Structure formats: structure tokens, C-alpha cells
DNA sequence: TAGGCGAGCAAAAACGTTTTTGTCAATGAG
DNA sequence: CTCATTGACAAAAACGTTTTTGCTCGCCTA
């Protein structure tokens, strides 16, 4: 009964206090001041439950994090930076981020989870991460008429708001670099094909090869789960093949570090005999042996973009179809890549 | 007006429907069945705002994540696994986790943030991570009479619920191992001293030295920020000193990887000429060169423990002082440590 | 047969806001 | 002088639940 106490204290009606607090025009500047001052003194905070019930607004943005590869991590390190950026912006708009984990990956349960999140009235807006090539979630959320932004694109004809890093460009650049080093047999250690960013990376890779008239070799395009273990295993299989590649482009720094370990195991010197490029510019990448040439993309800034977009969408300042932001990438050269022998 | 619709549809009163839905005893088994069935058919979901307003319960557990060392990451990788475990358990109890980031680290802002979280009625319970040696937060939250669990202990006379990994034991074991390898000058690359786990690690380290009657050397106990960069810098400073250590124990795998890089730079072979042990058993630790001997602690399980404890605390099944759980650790030997030359 | 009791349901208040619709006095126009 | 207008505030309804209290009926007991 907090606002009534405040009202009583001030000798005003509840409605006037409420309108003063919310900055309406039909309350005198004088009263407004007085109310604001007293509210601060008394430490008044509007009850979120009541506000929510009345106005239907939750002041919450939801995100459902897919379980990481090991089924254990709440967020992978990318989502980690991303959410940091989102949170920072949301905070300015009076919104908070509510994160839930998708513990299982089957699609029915996923739909139910989103359904519950939306229909249950838990959030005002949604953030979708790890978009798939065809992603049932965006249709689902679109139909619910709730604002949302995806991190990563997806193949749908309908307009929707997305923020993404330029995955294609990144792998185009990385592959081109390898080609310019004289490499012709360049492997791609990629992630699960269902994800859109994986397709885009493949596309960038292929486009670079095509540009230099190098016939793509399906046997050099491998898919794993983005982890060190997977990078290690995949690289190992490449090294024992009939004609091993002289260069590798990896979907994550973790994979690259796994790949480096595989090379070391077979006595192949990375950055001399084989050329490896990673992706992500993780903190570990600078300290591997050799230090990893990788691609930096500003995940945190992406998060900020998403946060801002979410806010503008919620406020109705902009249409979903007008929010498209592609974050540029930059290659950071270190020692793991080298000219062909 | 959802429950009234359901009530009307069933020809029952609102109260009966509500009581049926909530499993009260004074509604016949028959009616209960009928209500439950129809509710499912109709897709009825109680409005969380209304429920919250009336009952004062939010179905939300809050956690305020400290910004990581780089000021950018939403959660460090440890918190990441931890929250996964928490979430999994909470889900069973009908609770969700709401995560907010502490973007700045000054203490006034911190207090305000917690104050707002609690007094604002955003959550039913709180999870405190990264406990400090003396941590104003636990006093703050205790006074607010809201259930909470800390991950990591703190120095306070009052009883409170904590879950922790056995940091002291871990560093006792790691250090002892180095001693048994014949090392006498063993460095400790630790984190910021304000954190309780940092003190405990120091304590474990010191205890092992004391046990073998080795005089501790303050110059060998260094503090950084747990990152690769910091591990690199600290190790570098050790190596150029008058009498460099023959062994190093690191507070994180990341630091250890940085330390390895520093050794490599100076042509010192890790696992032959110098013995290094990490902590955390991160996915990268198995793929460094040499593979890192490290300490595994089940962070995810800790998270599950926390989740369960939170639920029991909320339900009032247990007193805060009765929740103390110390997760054991296990050393996983790899190649980065070695006998003294 | 009267009174008490329990089982099963209903009425109504309450939670703390926001918002719609008044009310009332002072002001200005005609 | 009258009447409409406006500026500043108040009353009251509404949001969708939960919970306390009340009611009715049939049954058992004395």
C-alpha cells in the first residue's frame, strides 16, 4: 500500500501522486517537485507486480539461451559478451534482462518454452540467439506480436529485426588470406550446419575459393561442434588423409586451438608447415603456440545494438523490418598462418 | 480476465476454480479434475503479474553478475556453468533466474543495485557470486529478510547459506604435488585479494608449504586479475627475477596458459624445466602445449546445489545456517608439471 | 428432533498501481 | 452577469489473481 502512504503523507490523492510520478502534464510543476522529492526521501518504489498487472508491461526482456555443446554451460563465451552489451543498453531504458536456459534441444520442447514465455506474459520483448537456417522460433514469436530482435539472420520472407556479424565477409577474408599465401588445399572446420552463421561462413569460404578459381573440395569442409575437442578430432582426420590440406580456416578459436594441438601431436609445425586461422579473437587466442591469427568481431557492440533496437521496438519508434545491422569484422594477424611451403 | 472466463465456462465460481487449480483440499476430486482438464484445453495460464501482486511472490530468483575483468563479459566461464546448474534445478521448482549485470564496480552503486532489486520486489530470493572476504552484500541482503545463497564464503559471524568449492584443499593439493616433485621455490599466481576464494587459495598454498617446512616467500605470491594477460605478465616478472621459481601454481587455467606463453617466450620448457599447475579444468586446458595439469571442480554441480538450496530456503524447509556445502576437488594430472631438475 | 459438523462451493475483499472520468474554482469572453 | 473554458486535483474503476470468510446442504449424534 505504498503509493497510498505517500499520497497520505503529502495530503494528495493517489491519482495525483501517480500522475506526478509519471510526469503527466495535468499536475502543476510545483506539486510534481514536491511529490518527487518526498518519494525519494521516503524511498518509494512502485510495486512492479501492480504496475505490471495494470499496464500489462513487465519491464523485462527475455532471452532463452541454448545449452552449449557440453550441455552444461549457461552461455557460451560469445553470448556472454553479447548479453553484457544488451544489458548495458537495456538498463538505460529501465528494462532488465531475464535469461532462461533451454536445457534440452528437441524442437517441441523449444516451442513450448517460447509459447510459455510469451503467452504467460513474462516479458515485453524477446531476444533470439543462435538462429538456424530455417528457424521456427521467428515465426512463432512474430505471430505472438511481441517485439523481438534476432542475433543472426535466418531464412524467412517476413521482415524481422536482426543484428549480425558479417560472418560471410569474415570467412571470405580469412580464406582469401590463405589463398594469397599460395595455399590451394584449404580446409574449413565449421560448426553444425543447422545454424545460419555456419552456412554464411561456408559461403564466404566458398566465395573466396571461387574468386580465385579454386575448385571446392567437399572433403575439406568438415563440421564439428565448435569446441577444442572437435577441432582436434577434425584436424586429426585431415592430417592422416591422403592429401592433407596446407591451410585450415576454423569456425572458432577453440577449434583452432584444438587443431593446433592435433598438428603438434603429429609433429607438424603450425605457422611454418601449416597455416591456421581462427575466429573470434578470444582472450586465449593471443597466448596459444603459435599465437593465433584470428578474426575480431565486436560482440559487445552487437549486444549494445540489440539492446537499443529492442528498446526502440518496444516504444514503437521503429518497424522490425527497419532494423538490420551488420557488424564489420577485422582480421588480426598473428603467427599461426604462413605462406605455403 | 482469464480465470473468470474459465470459471464462467465451467459454471463455477472464480474462487473454486482458483482453489482447484492450486490443489486445495476443499474442492472435490471430481471438480478438480474437470477444472484442470478444461484449463489445459482452453490454454489457461495464470497472469504472473496478478499472482505476483496478490501473493507477493515473483517466481524469480535474482543474480547480479559482476562485470568480468575486461568489463565486457556478462559472466565469466565459471559463473556460466554455475548458472546452468542453478537454472536446471530452479526450473523444477517453477522458478526462473533473472540475471542482471553490475556494470560498474564501485561499492555505492553496488549497494543501490541490490537495494533496488530487493526493495523493488523483483525477486523472491538472491544468489550472490564472487564473495569478498568482507562482503557488505550479505549483511545487506540478510537485513532484507530475503532468502539467499552465496557461491563462496565470506567472513561474517551471522549464519548464512553458502555453497563453495574447496579452494583451500585444491591449492593445498596442487602445492603439495609441486613439493613432492622436489620443488622448493614455488610461486603462486593468484587473483585479487579482496575475493574470499583468493584468500583460501593462498591459505591452501601456505599450508602445504608449512607442512613441509618451507619458508613462504612473499615475493613468490603474486596477484593479478585471473586472465591470460595477467598470467603472462606476472610469470614474466618472475622469470626475470634473481632466483626464478622452479614451479608455479595458478589461480586459473587462463593464468596458467598466459604463464606458459611467458615461459615459451624465454625459451623455458614447461613440463621439463619448470612445473606449472592450473585450476578449473577448462576446455582449453587439455589442448595447451603442454597440456595443463589442473584441478577439476564440479561447477555445474555446485550450481545444482545452489538451485536446490534456494528452493528449500524459499519454501522455508530449512534455515540458512543449515546450508553449507563444500564441493570436493580433484587434481587432473597432465604434462605441464614435472620434477625439479 | 434439535444441534453440531464437515464437505463443497461462492462471495467479496484485497494486493498497488494506472487511467478514465469527474469536480471545482478561477479565468476569460460575450 | 452569465456561461464556457481551463488548470489542478480527486474519485473510482479496473487489471487478474489469492484468500478469508460465509453459506448451504446433508449427515451424524445425543
Amino acid at each position: 500500500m505504498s503509493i497510498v502512504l505517500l499520497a497520505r503523507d503529502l495530503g494528495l490523492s493517489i491519482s495525483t501522486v501517480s500522475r506526478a510520478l509519471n510526469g503527466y502534464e495535468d499536475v502543476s510543476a510545483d506539486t510534481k517537485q514536491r511529490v518527487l522529492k518526498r518519494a525519494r526521501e521516503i524511498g518509494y518504489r512502485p510495486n512492479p507486480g501492480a504496475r505490471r498487472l495494470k499496464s500489462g508491461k513487465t519491464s523485462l526482456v527475455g532471452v532463452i539461451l541454448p545449452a552449449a555443446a557440453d550441455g552444461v554451460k549457461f552461455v557460451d563465451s560469445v553470448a556472454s559478451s553479447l548479453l553484457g552489451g544488451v544489458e548495458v543498453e537495456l538498463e538505460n531504458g529501465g528494462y532488465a534482462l531475464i535469461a532462461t536456459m533451454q536445457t534440452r534441444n528437441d524442437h517441441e520442447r523449444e516451442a513450448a518454452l517460447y509459447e510459455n514465455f510469451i503467452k504467460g506474459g513474462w516479458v515485453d520483448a524477446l531476444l533470439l540467439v543462435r538462429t538456424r537456417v530455417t528457424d521456427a522460433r521467428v515465426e512463432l514469436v512474430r505471430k505472438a506480436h511481441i517485439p523481438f530482435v534476432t542475433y543472426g539472420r535466418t531464412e524467412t520472407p517476413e521482415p524481422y529485426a536482426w543484428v549480425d556479424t558479417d560472418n560471410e565477409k569474415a570467412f571470405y577474408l580469412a580464406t582469401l588470406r590463405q589463398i594469397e599465401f599460395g595455399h590451394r588445399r584449404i580446409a574449413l572446420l565449421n560448426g553444425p550446419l543447422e545454424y545460419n552463421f555456419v552456412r554464411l561462413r561456408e559461403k564466404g569460404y566458398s566465395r573466396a575459393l571461387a574468386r580465385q578459381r579454386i575448385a571446392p573440395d567437399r572433403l575439406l569442409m568438415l563440421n564439428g561442434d565448435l569446441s577444442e575437442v572437435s577441432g582436434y578430432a577434425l584436424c586429426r582426420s585431415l592430417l592422416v588423409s591422403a592429401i592433407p590440406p596446407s591451410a585450415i580456416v576454423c569456425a572458432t578459436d577453440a577449434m583452432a586451438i584444438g587443431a593446433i594441438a592435433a598438428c603438434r601431436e603429429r609433429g607438424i609445425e603450425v605457422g611454418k608447415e601449416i597455416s591456421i586461422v581462427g575466429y573470434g579473437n578470444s582472450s586465449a587466442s593471443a597466448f596459444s603456440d603459435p599465437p593465433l591469427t584470428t578474426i575480431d568481431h565486436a560482440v559487445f557492440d552487437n549486444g549494445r545494438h540489440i539492446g537499443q533496437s529492442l528498446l526502440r521496438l518496444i516504444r514503437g519508434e521503429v518497424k522490425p523490418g527497419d532494423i538490420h545491422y551488420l557488424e564489420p569484422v577485422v582480421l588480426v594477424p598473428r603467427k599461426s598462418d604462413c605462406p605455403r611451403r
Side-chain angles (χ1 to χ4, degrees), chain A:
Chain A
M1 241 208 275
S2 220
I3 205 183
V4 340
L5 252 37
L6 180 57
R8 205 170 291 165
D9 180 284
L10 284 159
L12 286 171
S13 78
I14 298 174
S15 44
T16 302
V17 173
S18 172
R19 298 182 76 77
L21 254 18
N22 290 304
Y24 278 68
E25 282 311 314
D26 64 350
V27 33
S28 75
D30 215 45
T31 319
K32 220 179 272 188
Q33 289 292 339
R34 212 158 55 91
V35 172
L36 252 24
K37 177 157 169 290
R38 196 79 188 107
R40 209 169 313 116
E41 287 171 6
I42 231 174
Y44 166 74
R45 300 157 200 279
N47 177 313
R51 169 173 276 179
R52 178 166 165 178
L53 172 58
K54 186 57 196 159
S55 67
K57 292 290 162 198
T58 63
S59 301
L60 251 28
V61 169
V63 57
I64 299 180
L65 276 342
D70 57 5
V72 154
K73 291 277 177 66
F74 189 61
V75 283
D76 56 38
S77 63
V78 173
S80 182
S81 289
L82 189 80
L83 296 189
V86 176
E87 173 74 34
V88 165
E89 290 299 323
L90 249 31
E91 202 183 356
N92 294 335
Y95 269 79
L97 194 62
I98 167 171
T100 290
M101 188 165 81
Q102 185 177 349
T103 35
R104 296 280 306 281
N105 265 330
D106 55 304
H107 287 203
E108 295 103 278
R109 259 187 62 97
E110 176 178 275
L113 198 58
Y114 277 84
E115 195 99 0
N116 187 44
F117 225 46
I118 300 167
K119 299 272 177 64
W122 285 98
V123 294
D124 294 347
L126 233 35
L127 162 57
L128 264 45
V129 298
R130 281 274 177 108
T131 46
R132 293 184 282 264
V133 182
T134 60
D135 202 317
R137 295 176 300 172
V138 342
E139 247 337 271
L140 194 80
V141 180
R142 248 181 52 80
K143 282 213 189 91
H145 298 290
I146 185 176
F148 72 98
V149 174
T150 67
Y151 178 52
R153 284 158 290 175
T154 184
E155 277 177 10
T156 178
E158 314 291 344
Y160 66 100
W162 56 262
V163 168
D164 204 354
T165 48
D166 201 344
N167 284 288
E168 185 180 342
K169 179 88 169 293
F171 281 73
Y172 177 77
L173 289 178
T175 309
L176 208 57
R177 182 175 167 94
Q178 300 282 31
I179 296 172
E180 281 164 359
F181 270 143
H183 297 284
R184 287 301 172 268
R185 289 186 58 75
I186 303 164
L188 173 66
L189 263 42
N190 212 344
L193 275 168
E194 59 173 329
Y195 294 120
N196 198 64
F197 72 87
V198 171
R199 294 294 178 108
L200 287 171
R201 291 178 190 182
E202 192 174 295
K203 202 166 157 191
Y205 165 84
S206 299
R207 200 153 58 78
L209 291 185
R211 190 192 136 137
Q212 307 293 59
R213 316 230 174 281
I214 299 174
D217 183 349
R218 267 279 144 205
L219 295 176
L220 291 178
M221 297 162 72
L222 269 29
N223 298 87
D225 70 2
L226 305 173
S227 70
E228 286 94 349
V229 186
S230 154
Y232 170 80
L234 258 26
C235 180
R236 202 155 184 270
S237 75
L238 282 172
L239 298 180
V240 301
S241 67
I243 333 172
S246 65
I248 307 181
V249 179
C250 301
T252 61
D253 285 345
M255 280 188 114
I257 285 170
I260 290 177
C263 294
R264 188 164 48 231
E265 188 183 274
R266 296 192 63 83
I268 300 168
E269 202 174 345
V270 176
K272 289 276 171 57
E273 304 169 65
I274 193 169
S275 174
I276 294 184
V277 176
Y279 177 88
N281 197 19
S282 68
S283 62
S285 67
F287 295 93
S288 66
D289 179 26
L292 198 58
T293 294
T294 185
I295 288 177
D296 189 37
H297 56 136
V299 197
F300 187 76
D301 284 344
N302 270 331
R304 300 190 60 158
H305 256 279
I306 290 173
Q308 286 168 6
S309 304
L310 246 8
L311 250 22
R312 296 178 62 199
L313 243 23
I314 290 169
R315 298 195 193 112
E317 295 169 3
V318 69
K319 294 196 306 283
D322 294 340
I323 294 183
H324 301 316
Y325 178 75
L326 197 56
E327 180 88 28
V329 295
V330 27
L331 193 139
V332 354
R334 287 199 276 252
K335 305 281 181 201
S336 64
D337 57 344
C338 59
R340 185 180 172 200
R341 276 233 164 146

